[in-house]
Structures are given as C-alpha cells and as structure tokens.
Amino acid sequence: MGDHALLILLSVASLSLLPGAMPLQPSQAWSLFKLRQLLGDPPVLGTWRNYTDFCYGGDYKTASAFVECYEDSVTQLHIMGEPGARPLPTTFSIDAFFTTLSRLPDLKVLTLTNLGLWGPLPGGKISRLQKLEIVNVSSNYLYGELPRGLSQLGSLQTLVADHNMLGGKLPGWLKDMPLLAVLSLRNNTLQGTLPESLKDMPSLRSLVLASNNLSGNLPELSNLQVIDMANNALGPKFPRLGRKVASVVLAGNKFSDGLPADMLASCYLLERLDVSGNRFVGPFPAALLSLPSMEYLSIAGNRFTGRLSGNASCGENLRFVDLSSNLLTGSLPGCLLAAPGKTVLFSANCLSTGDDSQSQHPSPFCRNQALAVGIVPEQGRKKSGAKAGVVAVIVLVGALVVSAAVVFVVRKARLPKARPARRLVEHASSAYPSNLLADARYISQTVKLGALGIPAYRSFSLVELEAATDNFQVSSLMGQDAHGQMYRGRLSNGTPVTIRSLKVNKSQSFTRHIEMISKLRHRHLVSALGHCFQYNLDDSTVTHLYLVFEYVHNGNLRGRISQGTEGRKLSWGQRISTAIGVAKGIQFLHGGIIPGLFANNLKITNILMDQNQVPKIGSYNIPILSETMKSEMQGGAGSKYPPDRVPNGDKIDMYDFGVILLEVISGRPISSLYEVEMMKEQLQSALTAQGPSKRSNLVDPAVSKACSDDSMRTVMEICLRCLAKEPTQRPSVEDVLWNLQFAAQVQDDSRSSEESPLSPSQPHAQSAHD
C-alpha cells in the first residue's frame, strides 16, 4: 500500500473517534506506521493496524508497545522487543529511522529497546526532538561516539543506552545539558578517563558506566546519589563522595590504598557499597556495618586487615555482607551471625568463627600477607627461627606484582645438580584481583565469567603446581615449544588446568605482564587463571614463570568441521554461531583489554571447543612470549614489534579468520597459501554465478542441503573480504560480527519458514540476489 493510500485510510479512521477526542494528526500516524516498516514489522507491533486509534483506543496497547498523546500529538513512544534481538538487516538506515522520529515534534519520552537498531546515533536528527525528556535505547547495536547533537536537547533529564557498543571518551560537553539527572551507559566500549566537568553538572544524580574500558581516577562526584563504575580499570584514588550518596558500586577496578573511613562514616543515606575485586589495603572500617541505611556491603577480594570484634554493632537494615578473601582476624560480629534473613560471606580470612562451612586461613597467613604489602606495624616484622628444609625470607621486589613486597618460601631444588640452586616461591596473593572487562558485543546481555564457572585470577604457589602435575612428571607433559613446556594438571579442588612453564630473562620486568595476563578472561578465550614465580635465592631473580589457564578438553574446531565424523560435524547454523564466538574473542583481544593484542596467529586447530560447544581461542599473542623470544633471537624475525603495535595487526587477524571461515564453509582442511588462493577464486566465481547451485557445491556436502542461500552468500562475501590482499581492504571485526549475525538470522528465518505447519511444501525459492 502506498503512503498516499495509507493517509486516506488514516483520515477515514479518525472519523470514528470518541466524542470530544481530538484525532491524532494524520502525518504523525503515518510516521508511526513508517517506523514500524523501518523496523521490519516486528511482532511486538503486530497490533498496529491501519484503523488503530493510537491516542484514545486502548485495544492495540500492550506492555511492550504503546503510545501516549496530548490532544492530537504523540508525547510518548514505547517499543520494547524481545531480549537478544538480532541486528536489523543491512537495508536498515538509522538516519531514516530518526528522520521519521523527528516528525513527532512533541515527543517527550522515547523507549526503543531490544529492537536490533544498529549504526551511529545521528546527532543532527536527534537534536530536532527538542522536547525529549527521557530516552532509553538500551540493548541494541549502536556504535560510535555520543553525538554532540544530544547537547542541544535542553529538556533531556534521562539518557539510558546500556548494552550497546558506544565508544570513544565520555564527552566533556555533557555539562552543557543543564537538566540531565540520569546517565546510564552500562556495557559499552567507552575508553579513557572521565572528564572533570562531571562535577559541574548540578542536576546529575545517577551515573552508571559499569563494564566499559574506562581508566584513571574519578573526578569529584559529590552531587551523585547513585554511582556504578564496576568492571573498568579505574583508580587508584577513591573518589570524593557527597553525604547524600545512596549506592556506590566500584567492584572490579584498580582502586588501592585504604577506604576513606571518615568520609564514608558520614554517608548516613548509603544503602549499597561494593568495592570487591580491587586492591584495597589497610584497616577495614567496621563502622560501615552500623551505618543506618546500609543494606548491601561487599569488600571481597581485597587485602583489608584489622581485628573484628564479636561485640561490633550492625545497622538494622543490613541484609547482605561479603567479607571474603581479605586478611581479617578476630571474631565475626555476633550481629552478623544471629540475625535471620541475612546473607553473610566471610571465607578465606583468618577469623575465629567456629563455622566450618566457610574455611579460614591460619592466623600467621594473614600476618605474613599483611607484612608483604606493608600494612603491619614495624614491630610485628620479626624473623622467626630457621627450620630444617624451609626458610622464610621477605624480599622487597617493587617490579613484581603491583609494586608489592612479596613473601618467598625457600624450597629444595627438584632436580639434583652439582650445586643445587636455591629457589624462592612467590605466594603473596591468594586472590589477585581481576578486572572483568566487558566484551563489546552484538548480543545484549553480558555473560559474567563467574556464572560460567571460571575461578577468579590468583597467584599460585609452586607447591600447588607441583601437586597438580605430580611434580611435573613426563606423563603430565602436553607439549613443548620455543617458549617452554606445557603441562596438564588438576588443582586440589578438582579443577583441570593447563600450566605453561616459561624460562625468563633476568632483566625482564613482570608487573605489566601480570596486569595484562590477569585480564585475559573471556567466554571465547582459554582464560588465564593465575601465575607463579620461581626465584633463585642467591640473587632473588626470577628463573621461571608459570602461567595457569583453564583446560579445554573437547577437541578443536577442525575436529568438528573438516575432520569430523558423521554425527559430530557441526550444522551450518552451528558453524555460523561458532564463527561468531571466535570473532567475539578476537574483538575482546583487540579492544576489550588495553593495550590490545594483535597478530595472534589464529588457526582453526587453536580454536578449542568446550563441553557445551562454545569455541575458545586457545593461543594468542601474549607480550611476555614475544619478549622472551626476542631476547633469545636477539631481535630476529617475528619479534620486531610488540603485540599491540604490529602494523595492521588487526587486519592480520582478519586474514587468519578468513582462512578459518574457508574451512568452515568448505569442510576441507586448508594447510597452504596455495589452497587459500585457489578457494578464493572459487568463492569469487560462486558469488557471481546465476542461481545458488554453484555456491551450494562449494559448501561442505554434510551441511549444504540445509543452507539458506542468503546465509551462505553472506558468509562467503565476508570471508572473501577478510582474505583481501590489501590489509586496508579487509573488514573490521565489528563488520564481520554484524554480517555473521545477519547470516545466522536469515538461516534461522529460512528454517522457521520450512518447519512452519502453515507453510505449504515447496521447492527452495531462488534468492532475490540471483
């Protein structure tokens, strides 16, 4: 139906309105239907019909889609799709969408969530909606920087754009929005430091920037009542807060030193404080337990010290307390044990609790650990007498882990030598904090590593690793390369692990390397679990570094593609899903950590599959490996650039990913550049062929019959672009992800159409592209 005919129908429909009701302007009704069309007629708008009375007819309204009017004009528009919505097709234009929205000039409240919107927000179009007060565009695929046009929305009070891919720095021009009270950009890809101008926003009350890539110290936040900065790389200084603050979440960052006890003690309205997974040291302010409004308190995974008293008091609203993995001694306050309805976690301290369900370290452990990070009075630092076979030595090594002094335990050499080298084993941290950086993703919700059963990153003692590998027996050896040996082991809690042993250069500094390695944790990576240093007592130098990774034991991707047996081969839909997972892993390596890792030598045999068929990149360009190789090769080939500065490093990874896609498509193992070039020619020929038969013949026969031609074509096209000769012509990983998501969508749509009992059985229709 044409736009003119639609307007005629809308005009006729308006004649049947309730007495006294003003009809919605036909141009605005047309705009609403145009929006539905641009969104691809989603099911959530299935009740919108040509005769719908948007302003005064309630029969079309659902909890997920409705319009509110004032007189004859739309003032509120709410469209909320199903969670996990895929990106809209490549034909979608975000410019056209917001141009149509701008034809609703009285719009004050706008909700567009889980709709698959993609592209950069068009600032010029948005700035036309001068009356906007509340905007929520969460759980879409929006990318690029926040447009300056938002600053022209003088009435805007709330902006929520969680779970997108918005990037760049948080702009300083936000201070030009005088009424902005709520800003939430959770789970995006924002980078850099926060602007000092945030303190010049008197109306701002809630700031949520969790799960981005932000760094540096926070500006003064004394005006804010709600602060959520979890899972970034912020710190080390704790921010200055105001007395009216109600919620502070700073978990998973790089805050250190102590908590400002005096400032927090005056926050009588504080209901929630979460500083878990940081690097705090010093006394725990027990007064936090008695704050009158406190409901949720978590300090887990830090190095807080102090002796708790069983007589300490608690606020009457306190419901959740997590003191786990610190260095607390004394007795747990009775108010935490006696009251029903409270959740209290306190394991991995040195408390006298009488509760065997939450294990504690012996008291000397906390004293030694506190001494190691310099937070015990000097008089407590007394050497104990030497014991046969074991000597405790304290060595201040500023260049090791986070500038901390480290406690070393001397052990006898494992292998006999003419003059056995004495060794020191680091055991300074049983819970090294990790920053759970959010993956910039096309699927709306972040999957937390803890929910996947991946333990927290920590340092291991050599004793633990020896026990895990049966003293590094040959039967545990998985392989060996130029960097060292790889062992399979099992920790005392039953967790299977892979342990890489590296010989290191005496002159190497390890602080930044451990920082980097501790961040290599993602759903689609074989994640790092911890590290262990081995030292020579004579000069306190590091002789070996052990890196501990999760153990993935369900074979590699080639075993499910070109070398898979019947029944084990992945279907076409599963192959696309697997490729999406690998691309997300690459995306994390490039942008989810700072600095990124590039030129990762990606191979299909290094893509491991876990028991749930989740793909994990099993080998990547860890800087310490390249530095070790550079030292051994004295600047030879392959070591000229660090992993984050390889020229066109991201495009090198895209080429390698294209080779993996070739094998995913064809089902044939590819082992040479000649085979790649031959298959590129076949791909080009298949893509220009009339009809789908030539493309189908190129696909693995095990899955070709079930392939949608549109899906097949899309994967082939992005594969060919990845294999472009010129690096600058290869796509970005975000472009690859979008195309693969689209291929998955059209494949699912095709299968749903074929399986529908309402659809007549008919031959597969030829693609419109042909």
Side-chain angles (χ1 to χ4, degrees), residues 87-103:
L88 291 169
T90 53
T91 54
F92 172 77
S93 168
I94 198 163
D95 272 328
F97 186 84
F98 275 89
T99 297
T100 304
L101 268 178
S102 67
R103 292 170 181 158

Side-chain angles (χ1 to χ4, degrees), residues 80-87 112-117 136-142 160-166 185-189 210-212 438-448 523 580 584 587 737 741:
M80 293 162 276
E82 291 293 327
R86 289 178 171 151
L112 301 168
T113 60
N114 287 302
L115 295 176
L117 303 175
N136 185 354
V137 290
S138 297
S139 301
N140 287 292
Y141 304 93
L142 304 172
V160 182
D162 299 337
H163 309 299
N164 281 284
M165 298 183 298
L166 298 169
L185 300 171
R186 183 194 306 273
N187 191 20
N188 280 277
T189 61
S211 298
N212 281 279
D439 181 20
R441 62 190 67 238
Y442 283 85
I443 294 180
S444 58
Q445 292 292 335
T446 300
V447 180
K448 299 298 182 184
R523 176 179 173 85
I580 289 171
K584 287 183 177 180
Q587 187 184 43
L737 271 169
Q741 290 278 12

Side-chain angles (χ1 to χ4, degrees), residues 383-402:
K383 294 182 180 179
S384 60
K387 297 182 179 180
V390 180
V391 181
V393 183
I394 299 173
V395 183
L396 297 178
V397 187
L400 291 180
V401 181
V402 200

Side-chain angles (χ1 to χ4, degrees), residues 532-658:
C532 170
F533 289 121
Q534 178 179 321
Y535 299 89
N536 187 301
L537 183 59
D538 291 334
D539 55 9
S540 299
T541 56
V542 179
T543 59
H544 283 80
L545 169 62
Y546 298 92
L547 300 179
V548 184
F549 295 88
E550 60 176 323
Y551 178 59
V552 182
H553 52 85
N554 201 29
N556 59 44
L557 180 55
R558 175 169 281 175
R560 294 305 179 98
I561 301 290
S562 57
Q563 294 179 349
T565 57
E566 289 300 325
R568 280 178 55 86
K569 281 194 171 186
L570 298 179
S571 67
W572 180 249
Q574 289 173 325
R575 295 183 190 207
I576 299 176
S577 178
T578 300
I580 289 171
V582 176
K584 287 183 177 180
I586 297 170
Q587 187 184 43
F588 177 81
L589 290 172
H590 288 184
I593 51 179
I594 301 174
L597 299 184
F598 304 95
N600 290 287
N601 193 25
L602 301 167
K603 299 177 182 178
I604 195 168
T605 51
N606 287 338
I607 308 301
L608 306 182
M609 307 294 289
D610 73 5
Q611 65 273 19
N612 298 315
Q613 304 303 328
V614 175
K616 293 176 177 283
I617 299 174
S619 178
Y620 31 84
N621 195 4
I622 302 176
I624 195 168
L625 299 183
S626 59
E627 283 194 11
T628 302
M629 182 64 71
K630 181 178 180 179
S631 175
E632 293 177 1
M633 299 176 65
Q634 297 181 345
S639 61
K640 185 176 180 181
Y641 301 99
D644 59 322
R645 297 180 185 174
V646 179
N648 295 313
D650 56 336
K651 303 303 184 181
I652 293 173
D653 283 340
M654 288 299 93
Y655 184 91
D656 291 344
F657 182 73

Side-chain angles (χ1 to χ4, degrees), residues 50-302:
N50 293 340
Y51 53 84
T52 296
D53 174 15
F54 288 104
C55 291
Y56 302 99
D59 57 337
Y60 81 97
K61 292 186 178 181
T62 67
S64 300
F66 59 96
V67 174
E68 298 292 345
C69 303
Y70 179 74
E71 296 183 345
D72 64 345
S73 189
V74 173
T75 57
Q76 296 188 32
L77 173 61
H78 303 269
I79 309 175
M80 293 162 276
E82 291 293 327
R86 289 178 171 151
L88 291 169
T90 53
T91 54
F92 172 77
S93 168
I94 198 163
D95 272 328
F97 186 84
F98 275 89
T99 297
T100 304
L101 268 178
S102 67
R103 292 170 181 158
L104 305 174
D106 295 315
L107 196 61
K108 293 185 176 182
V109 181
L110 176 64
T111 303
L112 301 168
T113 60
N114 287 302
L115 295 176
L117 303 175
W118 62 269
L121 286 170
K125 308 295 191 304
I126 293 174
S127 65
R128 299 176 188 175
L129 296 165
Q130 285 290 306
K131 295 185 179 181
L132 273 178
E133 298 176 1
I134 299 174
V135 175
N136 185 354
V137 290
S138 297
S139 301
N140 287 292
Y141 304 93
L142 304 172
Y143 55 81
E145 298 182 357
L146 288 175
R148 184 63 186 259
L150 287 171
S151 65
Q152 299 180 37
L153 302 179
S155 300
L156 192 64
Q157 300 171 26
T158 298
L159 174 60
V160 182
D162 299 337
H163 309 299
N164 281 284
M165 298 183 298
L166 298 169
K169 289 189 173 183
L170 195 71
W173 50 254
L174 287 170
K175 65 179 176 55
D176 298 331
M177 306 176 73
L179 300 181
L180 189 64
V182 176
L183 178 62
S184 184
L185 300 171
R186 183 194 306 273
N187 191 20
N188 280 277
T189 61
L190 298 173
Q191 300 177 2
T193 58
L194 297 183
E196 287 293 327
S197 56
L198 284 175
K199 68 178 184 294
D200 301 323
M201 300 177 66
S203 297
L204 191 63
R205 293 293 178 265
S206 177
L207 182 61
V208 179
L209 301 174
S211 298
N212 281 279
N213 300 326
L214 301 169
S215 58
N217 288 321
L218 290 170
E220 181 178 336
L221 303 174
S222 56
N223 290 328
L224 296 179
Q225 297 173 3
V226 176
I227 302 167
D228 188 350
M229 301 289 176
N231 301 328
N232 282 284
L234 296 163
K237 289 185 61 177
F238 192 90
R240 181 175 179 81
L241 307 175
R243 294 188 177 185
K244 294 183 179 180
V245 67
S247 178
V248 179
V249 180
L250 301 175
N253 280 284
K254 295 183 178 180
F255 294 101
S256 58
D257 296 327
L259 284 178
D262 292 342
M263 180 178 70
L264 291 172
S266 65
C267 297
Y268 300 120
L269 301 179
L270 187 60
E271 300 173 0
R272 183 182 186 95
L273 177 63
D274 186 350
V275 294
S276 59
N278 279 282
R279 304 171 182 179
F280 286 109
V281 297
F284 164 61
L288 291 174
L289 296 170
S290 59
L291 285 176
S293 301
M294 186 70 77
E295 299 176 5
Y296 182 107
L297 173 64
S298 178
I299 63 166
N302 287 285

Side-chain angles (χ1 to χ4, degrees), residues 284 286 289 306-312 323 328-333 336 351:
F284 164 61
L289 296 170
R307 187 174 185 84
L308 298 184
S309 169
N311 297 323
L323 308 176
L328 302 174
T329 60
S331 302
L332 199 68
L336 294 179
L351 296 168

